[in-house]
Coordinates of all heavy atoms in Angstrom, one line a residue:
M1 N 116.7 20.0 96.1 CA 116.5 19.5 94.7 C 117.8 18.7 94.3 O 118.9 19.2 94.4 CB 116.2 20.6 93.7 CG 115.9 20.1 92.3 SD 114.3 19.5 91.9 CE 113.4 21.0 91.8
N2 N 117.6 17.5 93.9 CA 118.7 16.7 93.5 C 119.1 16.9 92.0 O 118.2 16.8 91.1 CB 118.2 15.2 93.7 CG 119.3 14.2 93.5 OD1 120.0 14.3 92.5 ND2 119.5 13.3 94.4
I3 N 120.3 17.1 91.7 CA 120.8 17.4 90.4 C 120.5 16.2 89.4 O 120.1 16.4 88.3 CB 122.3 17.7 90.3 CG1 122.4 19.2 90.8 CG2 122.9 17.6 89.0 CD1 123.7 19.8 90.5
K4 N 120.7 15.0 90.0 CA 120.5 13.8 89.1 C 119.0 13.7 88.6 O 118.7 13.4 87.5 CB 120.8 12.5 89.9 CG 121.9 11.7 89.2 CD 122.3 10.5 90.0 CE 123.3 9.7 89.3 NZ 123.8 8.6 90.2
D5 N 118.1 14.0 89.6 CA 116.7 14.0 89.2 C 116.4 15.0 88.1 O 115.6 14.8 87.2 CB 115.8 14.3 90.4 CG 115.8 13.2 91.4 OD1 116.2 12.1 91.0 OD2 115.4 13.4 92.6
L6 N 117.0 16.2 88.3 CA 116.8 17.3 87.3 C 117.3 16.8 85.9 O 116.7 17.1 84.9 CB 117.5 18.5 87.7 CG 116.8 19.4 88.7 CD1 117.7 20.5 89.3 CD2 115.6 20.0 88.1
V7 N 118.5 16.2 85.9 CA 119.1 15.8 84.7 C 118.2 14.8 84.0 O 117.9 14.8 82.8 CB 120.5 15.1 84.9 CG1 121.0 14.4 83.6 CG2 121.5 16.2 85.4
N8 N 117.6 13.8 84.8 CA 116.7 12.8 84.2 C 115.5 13.5 83.7 O 115.0 13.1 82.6 CB 116.3 11.8 85.3 CG 117.5 10.9 85.6 OD1 118.3 10.7 84.8 ND2 117.5 10.3 86.8
R9 N 115.0 14.5 84.4 CA 113.8 15.2 83.9 C 114.1 15.9 82.6 O 113.3 15.9 81.6 CB 113.3 16.2 85.0 CG 111.8 16.5 84.9 CD 111.4 17.3 86.0 NE 111.6 16.8 87.3 CZ 111.5 17.4 88.5 NH1 111.1 18.7 88.4 NH2 111.6 16.9 89.6
V10 N 115.2 16.6 82.5 CA 115.6 17.3 81.3 C 115.7 16.3 80.1 O 115.2 16.5 79.0 CB 116.9 18.1 81.5 CG1 117.4 18.6 80.1 CG2 116.7 19.2 82.4
R11 N 116.4 15.2 80.4 CA 116.5 14.1 79.4 C 115.2 13.6 78.9 O 115.0 13.4 77.7 CB 117.3 12.9 80.0 CG 118.8 13.2 80.0 CD 119.5 12.0 80.6 NE 120.9 12.2 80.6 CZ 121.7 12.0 79.6 NH1 121.2 11.6 78.5 NH2 123.0 12.2 79.7
A12 N 114.3 13.4 79.9 CA 112.9 12.9 79.5 C 112.2 13.9 78.6 O 111.6 13.5 77.7 CB 112.1 12.6 80.8
N13 N 112.4 15.2 79.0 CA 111.7 16.2 78.2 C 112.3 16.3 76.8 O 111.6 16.6 75.8 CB 111.9 17.6 78.8 CG 110.9 17.7 80.0 OD1 109.9 17.0 80.1 ND2 111.3 18.6 80.9
L14 N 113.6 16.0 76.6 CA 114.2 16.1 75.3 C 113.9 15.0 74.5 O 114.0 15.0 73.3 CB 115.8 16.2 75.5 CG 116.3 17.5 76.1 CD1 117.8 17.3 76.4 CD2 116.1 18.6 75.1
G15 N 113.5 13.9 75.1 CA 113.2 12.7 74.3 C 114.4 11.9 74.1 O 115.5 12.4 74.3
K16 N 114.3 10.7 73.6 CA 115.4 9.8 73.5 C 116.2 10.0 72.2 O 117.4 9.6 72.2 CB 114.9 8.3 73.6 CG 114.6 7.9 75.0 CD 114.1 6.5 75.1 CE 113.7 6.2 76.6 NZ 112.9 5.0 76.7
K17 N 115.6 10.7 71.3 CA 116.4 10.9 70.0 C 117.6 11.7 70.3 O 118.7 11.4 69.7 CB 115.5 11.6 69.0 CG 114.7 10.7 68.1 CD 113.9 11.4 67.0 CE 112.6 12.0 67.6 NZ 111.9 12.8 66.6
Q18 N 117.4 12.8 71.1 CA 118.5 13.7 71.2 C 119.4 13.4 72.5 O 118.9 13.6 73.6 CB 117.9 15.1 71.3 CG 118.9 16.2 71.0 CD 118.3 17.6 71.0 OE1 117.1 17.7 71.1 NE2 119.1 18.6 70.9
E19 N 120.5 12.9 72.3 CA 121.4 12.7 73.4 C 122.1 13.9 73.8 O 122.7 14.6 72.9 CB 122.5 11.6 73.0 CG 122.1 10.2 73.4 CD 121.7 10.1 74.9 OE1 122.4 10.5 75.8 OE2 120.6 9.5 75.2
L20 N 122.1 14.2 75.0 CA 122.8 15.4 75.5 C 123.8 14.9 76.5 O 123.5 14.2 77.4 CB 121.8 16.3 76.2 CG 122.0 17.8 76.2 CD1 122.1 18.3 74.8 CD2 120.9 18.6 76.9
P21 N 125.0 15.4 76.3 CA 126.1 14.9 77.3 C 125.8 15.4 78.7 O 125.3 16.5 78.9 CB 127.4 15.6 76.7 CG 127.0 16.5 75.7 CD 125.6 16.3 75.3
N22 N 126.0 14.5 79.6 CA 125.8 14.8 81.0 C 126.4 16.2 81.4 O 125.8 17.0 82.1 CB 126.4 13.8 81.9 CG 125.3 12.8 82.5 OD1 124.2 13.3 82.6 ND2 125.7 11.6 82.8
E23 N 127.6 16.4 81.0 CA 128.3 17.6 81.4 C 127.6 18.9 81.0 O 127.5 19.8 81.7 CB 129.8 17.6 80.8 CG 130.7 16.7 81.5 CD 130.5 15.2 81.0 OE1 129.6 15.0 80.1 OE2 131.2 14.4 81.5
A24 N 127.0 18.8 79.7 CA 126.3 20.0 79.2 C 125.1 20.3 80.1 O 124.8 21.4 80.4 CB 125.9 19.7 77.8
V25 N 124.4 19.2 80.4 CA 123.2 19.4 81.2 C 123.5 19.9 82.6 O 122.9 20.8 83.1 CB 122.4 18.0 81.3 CG1 121.2 18.2 82.2 CG2 122.0 17.5 79.9
L26 N 124.5 19.3 83.2 CA 124.9 19.7 84.5 C 125.4 21.1 84.6 O 125.1 21.9 85.5 CB 126.1 18.7 85.0 CG 125.6 17.4 85.5 CD1 126.8 16.5 85.9 CD2 124.8 17.6 86.8
G27 N 126.2 21.5 83.6 CA 126.7 22.8 83.5 C 125.6 23.8 83.4 O 125.5 24.8 84.1
F28 N 124.6 23.5 82.6 CA 123.4 24.4 82.4 C 122.6 24.5 83.7 O 122.3 25.6 84.1 CB 122.5 23.8 81.3 CG 121.3 24.6 81.0 CD1 121.4 25.9 80.5 CD2 120.1 24.0 81.2 CE1 120.3 26.6 80.3 CE2 118.9 24.7 80.9 CZ 119.0 26.0 80.5
L29 N 122.4 23.4 84.4 CA 121.7 23.4 85.6 C 122.4 24.1 86.7 O 121.8 24.8 87.5 CB 121.4 21.9 86.1 CG 120.4 21.2 85.3 CD1 120.3 19.7 85.7 CD2 119.0 21.8 85.5
R30 N 123.7 24.0 86.7 CA 124.5 24.7 87.7 C 124.4 26.2 87.6 O 124.2 27.0 88.5 CB 126.0 24.4 87.6 CG 126.3 23.0 88.1 CD 127.5 22.9 89.0 NE 127.6 21.5 89.5 CZ 128.2 20.5 88.9 NH1 128.8 20.7 87.7 NH2 128.3 19.3 89.4
V31 N 124.4 26.7 86.3 CA 124.2 28.1 86.0 C 122.8 28.5 86.6 O 122.7 29.5 87.3 CB 124.3 28.4 84.5 CG1 123.8 29.8 84.2 CG2 125.7 28.2 84.1
L32 N 121.8 27.7 86.2 CA 120.4 28.1 86.7 C 120.3 28.1 88.2 O 119.7 28.9 88.8 CB 119.4 27.0 86.2 CG 119.0 27.1 84.7 CD1 118.0 26.1 84.4 CD2 118.4 28.5 84.5
E33 N 121.0 27.1 88.8 CA 120.9 27.0 90.3 C 121.7 28.2 91.0 O 121.2 28.6 92.0 CB 121.6 25.7 90.7 CG 120.6 24.6 91.2 CD 121.4 23.5 91.8 OE1 122.6 23.3 91.6 OE2 120.7 22.7 92.5
N34 N 122.7 28.6 90.4 CA 123.6 29.6 91.0 C 122.9 31.0 90.9 O 123.1 31.8 91.8 CB 125.0 29.6 90.4 CG 125.8 28.4 90.9 OD1 125.5 27.9 91.9 ND2 126.8 28.1 90.1
L35 N 122.2 31.2 89.9 CA 121.7 32.6 89.6 C 120.9 33.2 90.8 O 121.2 34.3 91.2 CB 120.9 32.6 88.3 CG 121.8 32.8 87.1 CD1 121.0 32.8 85.8 CD2 122.7 34.0 87.1
P36 N 119.8 32.5 91.2 CA 119.0 33.1 92.3 C 119.7 33.3 93.6 O 119.4 34.2 94.3 CB 117.8 32.2 92.4 CG 117.9 31.2 91.3 CD 119.4 31.2 90.9
A37 N 120.6 32.4 93.9 CA 121.3 32.4 95.2 C 122.5 33.2 95.2 O 123.1 33.4 96.2 CB 121.6 30.9 95.5
E38 N 122.8 33.8 94.1 CA 124.1 34.5 94.0 C 124.1 35.7 94.9 O 123.1 36.4 95.1 CB 124.3 35.0 92.5 CG 125.7 35.4 92.3 CD 126.0 35.8 90.8 OE1 125.0 36.0 90.1 OE2 127.1 35.9 90.4
E39 N 125.2 35.9 95.6 CA 125.4 37.0 96.5 C 125.6 38.3 95.7 O 125.8 38.3 94.5 CB 126.5 36.7 97.4 CG 126.2 35.5 98.3 CD 127.3 35.2 99.3 OE1 128.3 35.9 99.3 OE2 127.1 34.3 100.1
L40 N 125.6 39.4 96.4 CA 125.8 40.7 95.8 C 127.1 40.8 95.1 O 128.1 40.2 95.7 CB 125.6 41.8 96.8 CG 124.2 42.0 97.4 CD1 124.3 43.0 98.6 CD2 123.2 42.4 96.4
T41 N 127.2 41.4 94.0 CA 128.5 41.6 93.4 C 129.2 42.8 94.0 O 128.6 43.6 94.7 CB 128.3 41.9 91.9 OG1 127.6 43.2 91.8 CG2 127.5 40.9 91.2
C42 N 130.5 42.9 93.7 CA 131.3 44.0 94.3 C 130.7 45.4 93.9 O 130.7 46.3 94.6 CB 132.7 43.9 93.8 SG 133.6 42.4 94.5
D43 N 130.2 45.4 92.6 CA 129.6 46.7 92.2 C 128.4 47.1 93.0 O 128.2 48.2 93.4 CB 129.2 46.6 90.7 CG 130.3 46.7 89.8 OD1 131.4 47.2 90.2 OD2 130.2 46.4 88.6
E44 N 127.6 46.1 93.3 CA 126.4 46.3 94.1 C 126.7 46.7 95.6 O 126.1 47.6 96.2 CB 125.5 45.1 94.1 CG 124.7 44.9 92.8 CD 124.1 43.5 92.7 OE1 124.7 42.5 93.1 OE2 123.0 43.5 92.1
I45 N 127.8 46.1 96.1 CA 128.3 46.4 97.4 C 128.8 47.8 97.4 O 128.4 48.6 98.3 CB 129.4 45.5 97.8 CG1 128.9 44.0 97.9 CG2 130.1 45.9 99.1 CD1 127.9 43.8 99.0
Y46 N 129.6 48.1 96.4 CA 130.2 49.4 96.3 C 129.1 50.5 96.2 O 129.3 51.6 96.9 CB 131.0 49.5 95.0 CG 131.9 50.7 95.0 CD1 133.1 50.8 95.8 CD2 131.6 51.8 94.2 CE1 133.9 51.9 95.8 CE2 132.4 53.0 94.2 CZ 133.6 53.0 95.0 OH 134.4 54.1 95.0
A47 N 128.0 50.3 95.6 CA 126.9 51.2 95.4 C 126.3 51.5 96.8 O 125.7 52.6 97.0 CB 125.9 50.7 94.5
Q48 N 126.3 50.6 97.7 CA 125.7 50.8 99.0 C 126.7 51.0 100.1 O 126.3 51.2 101.3 CB 124.9 49.6 99.4 CG 123.7 49.3 98.4 CD 123.0 48.0 98.8 OE1 122.4 48.0 99.8 NE2 123.0 47.1 97.9
L49 N 128.0 51.0 99.8 CA 129.0 51.0 100.8 C 129.0 52.4 101.6 O 129.2 52.4 102.8 CB 130.4 50.8 100.1 CG 131.5 50.3 101.0 CD1 131.0 49.0 101.7 CD2 132.7 50.0 100.2
D50 N 128.7 53.4 100.9 CA 128.7 54.7 101.6 C 127.6 54.8 102.6 O 127.8 55.4 103.7 CB 128.6 55.9 100.6 CG 127.4 55.8 99.7 OD1 126.9 54.7 99.5 OD2 127.0 56.8 99.1
E51 N 126.5 54.2 102.3 CA 125.4 54.1 103.3 C 125.8 53.3 104.5 O 125.5 53.7 105.6 CB 124.2 53.5 102.6 CG 122.9 53.8 103.4 CD 121.7 53.0 102.7 OE1 121.7 52.8 101.5 OE2 120.8 52.6 103.5
Y52 N 126.4 52.2 104.2 CA 126.9 51.3 105.3 C 127.9 52.0 106.2 O 127.8 52.0 107.4 CB 127.5 50.1 104.6 CG 127.9 49.0 105.6 CD1 127.1 48.0 106.0 CD2 129.2 49.0 106.2 CE1 127.4 47.0 106.9 CE2 129.6 48.1 107.2 CZ 128.7 47.1 107.5 OH 129.0 46.1 108.4
V53 N 128.8 52.7 105.6 CA 129.9 53.4 106.3 C 129.2 54.5 107.1 O 129.6 54.8 108.3 CB 130.9 54.0 105.3 CG1 131.8 55.0 106.0 CG2 131.7 52.8 104.8
E54 N 128.2 55.1 106.6 CA 127.5 56.2 107.2 C 126.9 55.7 108.6 O 127.0 56.3 109.6 CB 126.4 56.7 106.3 CG 125.8 58.1 106.7 CD 126.7 59.2 106.2 OE1 127.7 59.0 105.5 OE2 126.4 60.3 106.5
H55 N 126.3 54.5 108.5 CA 125.7 53.9 109.7 C 126.8 53.6 110.7 O 126.7 53.9 111.9 CB 125.0 52.6 109.3 CG 123.7 52.7 108.7 ND1 122.7 53.5 109.2 CD2 123.2 52.2 107.5 CE1 121.6 53.4 108.4 NE2 121.9 52.7 107.4
E56 N 127.9 53.0 110.2 CA 129.0 52.7 111.0 C 129.6 53.9 111.7 O 129.8 53.9 112.9 CB 130.1 52.0 110.1 CG 131.2 51.4 110.9 CD 130.9 49.9 111.3 OE1 130.3 49.2 110.5 OE2 131.2 49.5 112.4
A57 N 129.7 55.0 111.0 CA 130.4 56.2 111.5 C 129.5 56.8 112.6 O 130.0 57.5 113.5 CB 130.6 57.1 110.4
R58 N 128.2 56.6 112.5 CA 127.2 57.2 113.5 C 126.9 56.2 114.6 O 126.0 56.4 115.3 CB 126.0 57.6 112.8 CG 126.2 58.5 111.6 CD 125.1 59.5 111.4 NE 125.4 60.4 110.2 CZ 126.5 61.0 109.9 NH1 127.6 60.8 110.7 NH2 126.6 61.7 108.8
N59 N 127.7 55.1 114.7 CA 127.6 54.1 115.7 C 126.2 53.4 115.6 O 125.7 52.9 116.6 CB 127.8 54.7 117.1 CG 129.3 55.0 117.3 OD1 130.2 54.3 116.9 ND2 129.5 56.2 118.0
H60 N 125.6 53.4 114.5 CA 124.5 52.5 114.2 C 125.0 51.1 114.0 O 126.1 50.9 113.7 CB 123.7 53.0 113.0 CG 123.1 54.3 113.1 ND1 122.6 55.0 112.1 CD2 122.9 55.1 114.2 CE1 122.2 56.2 112.5 NE2 122.3 56.3 113.8
D61 N 124.1 50.2 114.2 CA 124.5 48.8 114.0 C 124.4 48.4 112.5 O 123.5 47.8 112.0 CB 123.5 47.9 114.8 CG 124.1 46.5 114.9 OD1 125.1 46.2 114.2 OD2 123.5 45.7 115.7
A62 N 125.5 48.8 111.8 CA 125.5 48.7 110.4 C 125.4 47.2 110.0 O 124.7 46.9 109.0 CB 126.8 49.3 109.8
A63 N 126.1 46.3 110.7 CA 126.0 44.9 110.3 C 124.6 44.3 110.5 O 124.3 43.4 109.7 CB 127.0 44.1 111.2
H64 N 123.9 44.9 111.4 CA 122.5 44.4 111.6 C 121.6 45.1 110.5 O 120.6 44.4 110.0 CB 122.0 44.8 113.0 CG 120.6 44.3 113.3 ND1 120.3 43.0 113.4 CD2 119.5 45.0 113.4 CE1 119.0 42.9 113.7 NE2 118.5 44.1 113.7
L65 N 121.8 46.3 110.2 CA 121.0 47.0 109.3 C 121.2 46.5 107.8 O 120.3 46.5 107.0 CB 121.3 48.5 109.3 CG 120.8 49.2 110.6 CD1 121.4 50.6 110.7 CD2 119.3 49.4 110.6
M66 N 122.4 46.2 107.5 CA 122.8 45.8 106.1 C 123.6 44.5 106.2 O 124.8 44.6 105.8 CB 123.5 46.9 105.4 CG 122.7 48.2 105.4 SD 123.6 49.7 104.8 CE 123.4 49.4 103.0
P67 N 123.0 43.4 106.6 CA 123.8 42.2 106.8 C 124.4 41.7 105.5 O 125.5 41.0 105.6 CB 122.7 41.2 107.3 CG 121.4 41.8 106.9 CD 121.6 43.3 106.9
L68 N 123.8 41.9 104.4 CA 124.4 41.4 103.1 C 125.8 42.1 102.8 O 126.7 41.5 102.3 CB 123.5 41.6 101.9 CG 122.2 40.7 101.9 CD1 121.3 41.1 100.8 CD2 122.6 39.3 101.8
I69 N 125.8 43.3 103.2 CA 127.1 44.1 103.0 C 128.1 43.5 103.9 O 129.3 43.2 103.5 CB 126.9 45.6 103.3 CG1 125.7 46.1 102.5 CG2 128.2 46.4 103.0 CD1 125.9 46.3 101.1
R70 N 127.7 43.3 105.2 CA 128.7 42.8 106.2 C 129.2 41.4 105.8 O 130.4 41.2 105.8 CB 127.9 42.7 107.5 CG 128.6 42.0 108.7 CD 129.7 43.0 109.2 NE 131.0 42.7 108.7 CZ 132.1 43.5 108.8 NH1 132.0 44.6 109.4 NH2 133.2 43.1 108.3
D71 N 128.3 40.6 105.3 CA 128.7 39.3 104.8 C 129.8 39.4 103.7 O 130.8 38.7 103.7 CB 127.5 38.5 104.3 CG 126.7 37.9 105.4 OD1 127.1 38.1 106.6 OD2 125.6 37.4 105.1
H72 N 129.5 40.3 102.8 CA 130.4 40.4 101.6 C 131.7 40.9 102.1 O 132.8 40.5 101.6 CB 129.8 41.3 100.6 CG 130.6 41.4 99.3 ND1 130.4 40.6 98.2 CD2 131.6 42.2 99.0 CE1 131.3 40.9 97.3 NE2 132.0 41.9 97.7
L73 N 131.7 41.9 103.0 CA 133.0 42.5 103.5 C 133.8 41.4 104.1 O 135.1 41.5 104.0 CB 132.7 43.6 104.4 CG 132.1 44.9 103.8 CD1 131.8 45.9 104.8 CD2 132.9 45.5 102.7
D74 N 133.2 40.5 104.8 CA 133.9 39.4 105.5 C 134.6 38.5 104.4 O 135.7 37.9 104.7 CB 133.0 38.5 106.3 CG 132.6 39.2 107.6 OD1 133.3 40.2 108.0 OD2 131.6 38.9 108.2
L75 N 134.0 38.4 103.3 CA 134.5 37.4 102.3 C 135.4 38.1 101.2 O 136.2 37.4 100.6 CB 133.3 36.8 101.6 CG 132.4 36.0 102.4 CD1 131.1 35.6 101.7 CD2 133.1 34.7 103.0
C76 N 135.3 39.4 101.0 CA 135.9 40.0 99.9 C 136.9 41.1 100.4 O 136.5 42.2 100.8 CB 134.9 40.7 99.0 SG 135.6 41.5 97.6
P77 N 138.2 40.8 100.3 CA 139.2 41.7 100.8 C 139.2 43.0 100.1 O 139.5 44.1 100.7 CB 140.5 40.9 100.5 CG 140.2 39.6 100.1 CD 138.7 39.5 99.7
E78 N 138.9 43.0 98.8 CA 138.9 44.2 98.0 C 137.9 45.2 98.5 O 138.1 46.4 98.7 CB 138.6 44.0 96.5 CG 139.9 43.4 95.8 CD 139.5 42.8 94.5 OE1 138.8 43.5 93.7 OE2 140.0 41.7 94.2
C79 N 136.6 44.7 98.7 CA 135.6 45.6 99.2 C 135.8 46.0 100.7 O 135.5 47.1 101.1 CB 134.2 44.9 99.1 SG 133.7 44.7 97.4
C80 N 136.4 45.1 101.4 CA 136.8 45.4 102.8 C 137.7 46.6 102.9 O 137.6 47.5 103.7 CB 137.3 44.2 103.5 SG 137.4 44.3 105.3
E81 N 138.7 46.5 102.0 CA 139.7 47.6 101.9 C 139.0 48.9 101.6 O 139.3 50.0 102.2 CB 140.8 47.2 100.9 CG 142.0 48.1 101.0 CD 143.1 47.6 100.0 OE1 143.3 46.4 99.9 OE2 143.6 48.5 99.3
E82 N 138.2 48.8 100.6 CA 137.4 50.0 100.1 C 136.6 50.6 101.3 O 136.5 51.8 101.5 CB 136.5 49.6 99.0 CG 136.0 50.7 98.1 CD 137.1 51.4 97.4 OE1 137.9 50.6 96.8 OE2 137.2 52.6 97.4
Y83 N 136.0 49.7 102.1 CA 135.2 50.0 103.2 C 136.0 50.8 104.3 O 135.6 51.8 104.8 CB 134.5 48.8 103.8 CG 134.2 48.8 105.2 CD1 133.1 49.6 105.7 CD2 134.9 48.1 106.2 CE1 132.8 49.6 107.0 CE2 134.6 48.2 107.5 CZ 133.6 48.9 107.9 OH 133.3 48.9 109.3
E84 N 137.2 50.3 104.5 CA 138.0 50.9 105.5 C 138.5 52.3 105.1 O 138.5 53.2 106.0 CB 139.2 50.0 105.8 CG 138.8 48.9 106.8 CD 139.9 47.7 106.9 OE1 140.9 47.9 106.3 OE2 139.6 46.7 107.5
V85 N 138.8 52.4 103.9 CA 139.2 53.7 103.3 C 138.0 54.7 103.5 O 138.2 55.8 104.0 CB 139.6 53.6 101.9 CG1 139.8 55.0 101.2 CG2 140.9 52.8 101.7
L86 N 136.9 54.2 103.1 CA 135.7 55.1 103.1 C 135.3 55.5 104.6 O 135.0 56.6 104.9 CB 134.5 54.3 102.5 CG 133.5 55.1 101.7 CD1 134.2 55.9 100.6 CD2 132.5 54.2 101.1
L87 N 135.4 54.5 105.5 CA 135.1 54.7 106.9 C 136.1 55.8 107.5 O 135.7 56.7 108.2 CB 135.3 53.4 107.7 CG 134.8 53.5 109.1 CD1 133.4 53.9 109.3 CD2 135.1 52.1 109.8
D88 N 137.3 55.7 107.1 CA 138.3 56.6 107.5 C 138.0 58.0 107.0 O 138.1 59.0 107.8 CB 139.7 56.2 106.9 CG 140.8 56.7 107.8 OD1 140.7 56.7 109.0 OD2 141.8 57.2 107.2
V89 N 137.6 58.1 105.8 CA 137.2 59.4 105.2 C 136.0 60.0 105.9 O 136.0 61.2 106.3 CB 136.9 59.3 103.7 CG1 136.3 60.6 103.1 CG2 138.2 58.9 102.9
V90 N 135.0 59.2 106.1 CA 133.8 59.7 106.8 C 134.1 60.1 108.2 O 133.6 61.2 108.6 CB 132.7 58.6 106.8 CG1 131.5 59.0 107.7 CG2 132.2 58.3 105.3
K91 N 134.9 59.4 108.9 CA 135.2 59.7 110.3 C 136.0 61.1 110.3 O 135.7 61.9 111.2 CB 136.0 58.6 110.9 CG 135.1 57.5 111.5 CD 135.9 56.5 112.2 CE 135.0 55.4 112.9 NZ 135.8 54.2 113.3
K92 N 136.9 61.2 109.4 CA 137.7 62.5 109.4 C 136.8 63.6 109.0 O 137.0 64.7 109.6 CB 138.9 62.3 108.4 CG 140.0 61.6 109.0 CD 141.2 61.4 108.1 CE 142.3 60.6 108.8 NZ 143.1 59.9 107.8
T93 N 135.9 63.4 108.1 CA 135.0 64.5 107.7 C 134.1 64.9 108.9 O 133.8 66.1 109.1 CB 134.1 64.0 106.5 OG1 134.9 63.4 105.5 CG2 133.3 65.1 105.9
D94 N 133.6 63.9 109.6 CA 132.8 64.2 110.8 C 133.5 65.0 111.9 O 132.9 65.7 112.6 CB 132.2 62.9 111.4 CG 131.0 62.3 110.5 OD1 130.7 63.0 109.6 OD2 130.5 61.3 110.8
E95 N 134.8 64.8 112.0 CA 135.5 65.4 113.0 C 135.6 66.9 112.8 O 135.8 67.7 113.8 CB 136.9 64.8 113.1 CG 136.9 63.5 113.9 CD 138.2 62.7 113.7 OE1 139.2 63.3 113.2 OE2 138.2 61.5 114.1
K96 N 135.6 67.3 111.6 CA 135.8 68.7 111.3 C 134.6 69.6 111.8 O 133.5 69.2 111.9 CB 135.8 68.9 109.8 CG 137.2 68.6 109.2 CD 137.2 68.7 107.7 CE 138.5 68.0 107.1 NZ 138.4 67.8 105.7
Ligands
ZN101 ZN1 133.6 42.6 96.8

């Protein structure tokens, strides 16, 4: 979907009386566009991180089972650090 087409459609719907600045329309559309495609937030990752680590610790293919988590960990150093700490804890717990 082309942003320019969308802007034109929004403008057409608004009618010619009401001028809307391009920036405002574009900003609004960007928000709409970004929402459905948005990746998991750190909170959502964190909520599933223990499950992911559990798989990892049992030598399951965690990256295959929970690819969204894997993707996020690759991109987010904070969650990756959290993951490593958790993995360490789980592995030590399993050794006992
Ligand atoms: Zn994160």
Side-chain angles (χ1 to χ4, degrees):
M1 181 84 74
N2 185 314
I3 282 198
K4 239 177 180 174
D5 289 346
L6 279 171
V7 172
N8 286 335
R9 206 175 299 170
V10 170
R11 281 180 179 277
N13 285 338
L14 287 171
K16 280 176 185 165
K17 269 187 278 174
Q18 202 177 348
E19 262 312 306
L20 211 57
N22 255 332
E23 285 79 2
V25 178
L26 280 173
F28 181 61
L29 287 173
R30 289 225 173 87
V31 170
L32 283 182
E33 254 191 343
N34 286 337
L35 278 178
E38 201 176 11
E39 294 181 358
L40 293 173
T41 66
C42 291
D43 280 348
E44 285 166 322
I45 296 297
Y46 193 77
Q48 299 179 61
L49 205 53
D50 54 342
E51 197 187 329
Y52 185 89
V53 167
E54 197 82 5
H55 284 308
E56 190 87 40
R58 307 216 180 310
N59 291 320
H60 296 164
D61 194 349
H64 181 71
L65 290 165
M66 304 172 83
L68 288 176
I69 310 285
R70 177 72 263 167
D71 285 352
H72 185 93
L73 292 178
D74 284 341
L75 298 170
C76 179
E78 283 167 46
C79 287
C80 195
E81 195 176 315
E82 199 66 46
Y83 153 74
E84 277 165 7
V85 170
L86 216 57
L87 186 61
D88 204 43
V89 170
V90 169
K91 278 185 172 167
K92 278 179 182 153
T93 309
D94 280 358
E95 279 166 14
K96 278 176 196 166

